[in-house]
Amino acid sequence: MAEGLRERKKRETRQRISDIATGLFLEHGFVTVTIAEVAEAADVSVNTVYNYFPAKEDLFFDRSSGVVEQLSRWVRGRDVGESAARAVLRELRAEVEAVSPRVGLMTGYDRFMRCIHEAPPLRSRLWSLQQEIHDHLEATLREATGAVDADPLPGLIAGQICWVHSEVFVHIGREMVAGRNPDEVSREVLALLDDIEELLSENVLNYAVRDHR
Protein backbone atom coordinates (compact mmCIF):
# COMPACT_ATOMS: atom_id res chain seq x y z
CA MET A 1 0.00 0.00 0.00
CA ALA A 2 1.34 3.40 -1.00
CA GLU A 3 2.21 5.80 1.79
CA GLY A 4 -0.33 8.61 2.11
CA LEU A 5 0.59 12.29 2.34
CA ARG A 6 -0.32 12.48 6.02
CA GLU A 7 1.73 9.40 6.89
CA ARG A 8 4.70 10.69 4.91
CA LYS A 9 4.61 14.06 6.67
CA LYS A 10 4.43 12.35 10.07
CA ARG A 11 7.37 10.11 9.18
CA GLU A 12 9.41 13.06 7.94
CA THR A 13 8.60 15.10 11.05
CA ARG A 14 9.60 12.22 13.30
CA GLN A 15 12.85 11.74 11.42
CA ARG A 16 13.68 15.45 11.52
CA ILE A 17 13.11 15.60 15.28
CA SER A 18 15.24 12.50 15.77
CA ASP A 19 18.10 13.78 13.60
CA ILE A 20 18.15 17.18 15.32
CA ALA A 21 18.02 15.60 18.77
CA THR A 22 20.88 13.23 17.93
CA GLY A 23 23.01 16.13 16.76
CA LEU A 24 22.34 18.05 19.97
CA PHE A 25 23.06 15.01 22.15
CA LEU A 26 26.36 14.30 20.42
CA GLU A 27 27.44 17.92 20.63
CA HIS A 28 26.31 18.81 24.15
CA GLY A 29 25.69 15.49 25.91
CA PHE A 30 22.48 13.58 26.52
CA VAL A 31 21.93 14.71 30.10
CA THR A 32 22.50 18.39 29.32
CA VAL A 33 20.07 18.72 26.40
CA THR A 34 16.39 19.15 27.31
CA ILE A 35 13.29 18.16 25.39
CA ALA A 36 12.38 21.84 25.21
CA GLU A 37 15.67 22.58 23.46
CA VAL A 38 15.04 19.74 21.00
CA ALA A 39 11.55 21.09 20.30
CA GLU A 40 12.85 24.60 19.75
CA ALA A 41 15.60 23.43 17.39
CA ALA A 42 13.11 21.31 15.42
CA ASP A 43 10.54 24.15 15.38
CA VAL A 44 7.82 22.02 16.99
CA SER A 45 6.08 22.01 20.36
CA VAL A 46 7.26 19.99 23.34
CA ASN A 47 4.02 18.00 23.13
CA THR A 48 4.79 17.13 19.51
CA VAL A 49 8.16 15.71 20.54
CA TYR A 50 6.50 13.60 23.24
CA ASN A 51 3.83 12.42 20.78
CA TYR A 52 6.57 10.81 18.69
CA PHE A 53 9.00 9.94 21.49
CA PRO A 54 7.43 9.14 24.89
CA ALA A 55 10.81 9.24 26.67
CA LYS A 56 13.99 11.19 26.09
CA GLU A 57 15.91 7.93 25.65
CA ASP A 58 13.62 7.07 22.72
CA LEU A 59 15.06 10.04 20.85
CA PHE A 60 18.55 8.59 21.12
CA PHE A 61 17.63 4.97 20.42
CA ASP A 62 15.01 5.80 17.81
CA ARG A 63 15.92 2.80 15.64
CA SER A 64 15.90 0.30 18.49
CA SER A 65 13.02 -1.78 17.12
CA GLY A 66 15.13 -2.80 14.14
CA VAL A 67 18.04 -3.70 16.41
CA VAL A 68 15.84 -5.78 18.72
CA GLU A 69 14.52 -7.83 15.81
CA GLN A 70 17.78 -8.19 13.87
CA LEU A 71 19.04 -11.46 15.34
CA SER A 72 15.61 -13.02 14.96
CA ARG A 73 15.46 -11.90 11.31
CA TRP A 74 18.82 -13.51 10.65
CA VAL A 75 17.72 -16.74 12.31
CA ARG A 76 14.41 -16.85 10.44
CA GLY A 77 16.30 -16.25 7.19
CA ARG A 78 18.85 -19.03 7.74
CA ASP A 79 19.59 -21.34 4.83
CA VAL A 80 18.51 -24.96 4.59
CA GLY A 81 21.05 -27.01 6.55
CA GLU A 82 22.18 -23.95 8.53
CA SER A 83 21.76 -23.57 12.27
CA ALA A 84 20.67 -20.45 14.15
CA ALA A 85 24.15 -19.68 15.48
CA ARG A 86 25.88 -20.24 12.16
CA ALA A 87 23.39 -17.94 10.44
CA VAL A 88 24.17 -15.17 12.92
CA LEU A 89 27.92 -15.74 12.55
CA ARG A 90 27.57 -15.57 8.76
CA GLU A 91 25.58 -12.36 8.87
CA LEU A 92 27.95 -10.73 11.35
CA ARG A 93 30.95 -11.65 9.23
CA ALA A 94 29.28 -10.11 6.17
CA GLU A 95 28.58 -6.86 8.03
CA VAL A 96 32.09 -6.67 9.47
CA GLU A 97 33.80 -7.57 6.20
CA ALA A 98 31.80 -4.83 4.45
CA VAL A 99 33.00 -2.34 7.12
CA SER A 100 29.34 -1.55 7.68
CA PRO A 101 28.16 1.45 9.71
CA ARG A 102 25.40 -0.85 10.98
CA VAL A 103 27.93 -2.50 13.28
CA GLY A 104 29.65 0.76 14.22
CA LEU A 105 32.49 0.63 11.70
CA MET A 106 32.30 4.28 10.76
CA THR A 107 33.94 7.60 11.50
CA GLY A 108 32.04 9.35 14.30
CA TYR A 109 30.87 6.20 16.05
CA ASP A 110 33.17 7.09 18.92
CA ARG A 111 30.98 10.14 19.67
CA PHE A 112 27.90 7.93 19.81
CA MET A 113 29.57 5.54 22.27
CA ARG A 114 30.95 8.33 24.46
CA CYS A 115 27.48 9.84 24.67
CA ILE A 116 26.16 6.53 26.02
CA HIS A 117 29.03 6.05 28.47
CA GLU A 118 28.53 9.53 29.90
CA ALA A 119 24.76 9.14 30.44
CA PRO A 120 23.47 6.60 33.02
CA PRO A 121 19.92 6.69 31.53
CA LEU A 122 21.31 5.61 28.16
CA ARG A 123 23.39 2.83 29.69
CA SER A 124 20.28 1.60 31.47
CA ARG A 125 18.24 1.70 28.27
CA LEU A 126 21.01 -0.14 26.41
CA TRP A 127 20.87 -2.93 29.01
CA SER A 128 17.09 -3.12 28.56
CA LEU A 129 17.52 -3.35 24.78
CA GLN A 130 19.96 -6.21 25.19
CA GLN A 131 17.39 -8.05 27.30
CA GLU A 132 14.73 -7.41 24.66
CA ILE A 133 17.04 -8.82 21.97
CA HIS A 134 17.52 -11.97 24.04
CA ASP A 135 13.81 -12.43 24.76
CA HIS A 136 12.87 -11.84 21.13
CA LEU A 137 15.47 -14.32 19.94
CA GLU A 138 14.40 -16.92 22.52
CA ALA A 139 10.82 -16.67 21.25
CA THR A 140 12.06 -17.10 17.67
CA LEU A 141 14.07 -20.20 18.62
CA ARG A 142 11.07 -21.71 20.41
CA GLU A 143 8.97 -21.17 17.33
CA ALA A 144 11.66 -22.60 15.05
CA THR A 145 12.15 -25.77 17.11
CA GLY A 146 8.68 -26.28 18.55
CA ALA A 147 10.15 -26.24 22.07
CA VAL A 148 7.67 -26.19 24.94
CA ASP A 149 7.65 -23.31 27.40
CA ALA A 150 9.30 -25.41 30.11
CA ASP A 151 12.29 -26.26 27.90
CA PRO A 152 15.23 -24.06 29.00
CA LEU A 153 17.34 -24.75 25.91
CA PRO A 154 16.02 -21.95 23.64
CA GLY A 155 16.80 -19.41 26.35
CA LEU A 156 20.28 -20.83 26.89
CA ILE A 157 21.06 -20.88 23.17
CA ALA A 158 19.70 -17.34 22.80
CA GLY A 159 22.06 -16.27 25.57
CA GLN A 160 25.06 -17.74 23.73
CA ILE A 161 24.10 -16.11 20.42
CA CYS A 162 23.50 -12.76 22.13
CA TRP A 163 26.93 -13.07 23.76
CA VAL A 164 28.49 -13.42 20.29
CA HIS A 165 26.60 -10.35 19.09
CA SER A 166 27.52 -8.35 22.19
CA GLU A 167 31.23 -9.24 22.02
CA VAL A 168 31.43 -7.96 18.46
CA PHE A 169 29.78 -4.65 19.31
CA VAL A 170 31.75 -4.17 22.53
CA HIS A 171 35.03 -4.73 20.71
CA ILE A 172 34.10 -2.41 17.85
CA GLY A 173 32.87 0.28 20.23
CA ARG A 174 36.00 0.15 22.36
CA GLU A 175 38.35 0.31 19.39
CA MET A 176 36.45 3.11 17.65
CA VAL A 177 36.46 5.18 20.85
CA ALA A 178 40.23 4.65 20.90
CA GLY A 179 40.41 6.33 17.48
CA ARG A 180 41.17 3.23 15.44
CA ASN A 181 40.72 2.96 11.68
CA PRO A 182 37.46 1.12 10.75
CA ASP A 183 39.25 -1.06 8.17
CA GLU A 184 41.81 -2.22 10.73
CA VAL A 185 39.11 -2.93 13.30
CA SER A 186 37.16 -4.88 10.68
CA ARG A 187 40.09 -7.24 10.12
CA GLU A 188 40.52 -7.74 13.85
CA VAL A 189 36.86 -8.52 14.39
CA LEU A 190 36.84 -11.10 11.58
CA ALA A 191 39.63 -12.90 13.45
CA LEU A 192 37.69 -12.46 16.71
CA LEU A 193 34.65 -14.13 15.15
CA ASP A 194 36.79 -17.11 14.20
CA ASP A 195 37.99 -17.38 17.80
CA ILE A 196 34.44 -17.05 19.11
CA GLU A 197 33.18 -19.81 16.82
CA GLU A 198 35.87 -22.14 18.12
CA LEU A 199 34.69 -21.46 21.68
CA LEU A 200 31.06 -22.35 20.95
CA SER A 201 30.06 -25.94 21.63
CA GLU A 202 28.64 -28.22 18.96
CA ASN A 203 25.32 -28.12 20.83
CA VAL A 204 25.13 -24.39 20.18
CA LEU A 205 26.48 -24.51 16.63
CA ASN A 206 24.06 -27.26 15.60
CA TYR A 207 20.90 -25.98 17.29
CA ALA A 208 17.83 -25.18 15.19
CA VAL A 209 19.20 -26.41 11.88
CA ARG A 210 16.72 -25.62 9.11
CA ASP A 211 15.68 -28.79 7.32
CA HIS A 212 13.31 -27.23 4.78
CA ARG A 213 11.89 -23.96 3.55
Side-chain angles (χ1 to χ4, degrees):
M1 183 181 296
E3 183 181 39
L5 179 61
R6 184 169 181 270
E7 288 73 20
R8 179 172 61 80
K9 286 186 175 181
K10 288 176 65 176
R11 175 176 56 79
E12 290 174 348
T13 298
R14 186 185 190 283
Q15 190 60 57
R16 187 178 78 255
I17 294 170
S18 171
D19 290 344
I20 289 172
T22 299
L24 290 172
F25 293 150
L26 294 179
E27 183 176 357
H28 303 291
F30 179 80
V31 175
T32 303
V33 176
T34 66
I35 292 293
E37 289 170 335
V38 171
E40 182 179 3
D43 196 25
V44 298
S45 69
V46 169
N47 284 341
T48 296
V49 175
Y50 279 119
N51 284 340
Y52 288 104
F53 303 95
K56 188 177 172 183
E57 292 83 354
D58 296 325
L59 277 164
F60 192 86
F61 292 113
D62 65 313
R63 295 174 177 83
S64 62
S65 61
V67 174
V68 167
E69 297 171 0
Q70 185 178 62
L71 292 184
S72 289
R73 285 199 306 273
W74 288 348
V75 169
R76 286 194 297 268
R78 68 197 185 284
D79 297 330
V80 173
E82 187 175 46
S83 70
R86 292 191 190 280
V88 171
L89 285 165
R90 173 174 54 79
E91 293 284 0
L92 279 173
R93 282 192 177 98
E95 293 283 0
V96 172
E97 191 170 11
V99 196
S100 172
R102 289 187 293 269
V103 290
L105 291 168
M106 59 181 290
T107 302
Y109 190 66
D110 58 316
R111 296 172 63 202
F112 180 83
M113 292 305 300
R114 285 194 182 96
C115 196
I116 293 175
H117 290 158
E118 293 169 359
L122 292 182
R123 295 201 302 272
S124 177
R125 174 60 68 89
L126 184 59
W127 183 90
S128 296
L129 286 174
Q130 290 168 340
Q131 188 61 48
E132 285 184 55
I133 291 170
H134 175 277
D135 294 346
H136 204 283
L137 179 57
E138 179 181 351
T140 299
L141 291 174
R142 288 190 183 281
E143 180 183 353
T145 61
V148 298
D149 291 344
D151 187 350
L153 201 51
L156 295 173
I157 299 295
Q160 291 288 292
I161 293 174
C162 286
W163 167 72
V164 174
H165 186 254
S166 175
E167 283 300 306
V168 168
F169 275 85
V170 167
H171 185 91
I172 290 173
R174 181 175 61 244
E175 297 306 312
M176 296 309 294
V177 166
R180 300 284 307 286
N181 179 281
D183 292 317
E184 293 178 356
V185 177
S186 169
R187 290 191 290 271
E188 287 182 3
V189 175
L190 287 174
L192 175 66
L193 281 166
D194 290 340
D195 292 339
I196 286 174
E197 185 168 0
E198 289 184 6
L199 290 173
L200 295 174
S201 73
E202 289 301 310
N203 288 336
V204 174
L205 290 172
N206 293 319
Y207 187 79
V209 174
R210 165 162 274 168
D211 56 5
H212 61 81
R213 283 290 180 186

